Every structure is written in structure tokens, then in C-alpha cells.
Amino acid sequence: MEKEFMLLEEIEVCRKEMSRLAHENALTSEEVVRISVKLDRLLNEFETLKQKQLTPRKVSCS
């Protein structure tokens, strides 16, 4: 859960920074694209983490 919380915080910081940069620069500027890619990576990481938590684990009876 701690990793999940840390990821959510980082996602929010990144989202705010992207919004700020997008207001100051063109959406296709290197800065905006770079932070957008970072945000995508964080969101994918978060989604992967959530999927792992939802996937039932197989238990062997040996």
C-alpha cells in the first residue's frame, strides 16, 4: 500500500507540473512532451500495481 500511495502522490505532482507547463508552452514542446511521457509511465506503473493486487494468487497444496 505504501508504494501505491507514493505513486499516487508522484502522479499528482507530475499532473500539476504538466498542466503548468502546458499553460506556459506549446503542447508539443519538448518540456510538455517529456513530462507527459513521465506521467504515462507513472500511470502505467500504478495500473500494473493495481492489477497485481487484484489478480488472485494460485496456492499449491504440496
Side-chain angles (χ1 to χ4, degrees):
M1 282 294 195
E2 186 174 328
K3 180 157 178 74
E4 180 181 328
F5 180 74
M6 289 172 53
L7 264 174
L8 285 172
E9 283 187 334
E10 194 172 354
I11 286 167
E12 189 57 29
V13 167
C14 194
R15 189 185 321 257
K16 286 178 181 178
E17 179 67 5
M18 187 175 79
S19 179
R20 184 187 69 76
L21 286 171
H23 281 88
E24 296 174 359
N25 303 283
L27 294 178
T28 56
S29 72
E30 187 177 327
E31 295 162 299
V32 174
V33 171
R34 185 179 313 130
I35 197 131
S36 176
V37 169
K38 179 180 179 181
L39 180 57
D40 285 346
R41 181 187 56 77
L42 291 169
L43 290 168
N44 288 336
E45 188 177 341
F46 181 77
E47 184 63 27
T48 299
L49 182 65
K50 294 301 286 179
Q51 287 301 316
K52 285 181 181 178
Q53 290 175 353
L54 294 175
T55 304
R57 296 187 177 128
K58 291 183 181 180
V59 177
S60 67
C61 297
S62 29

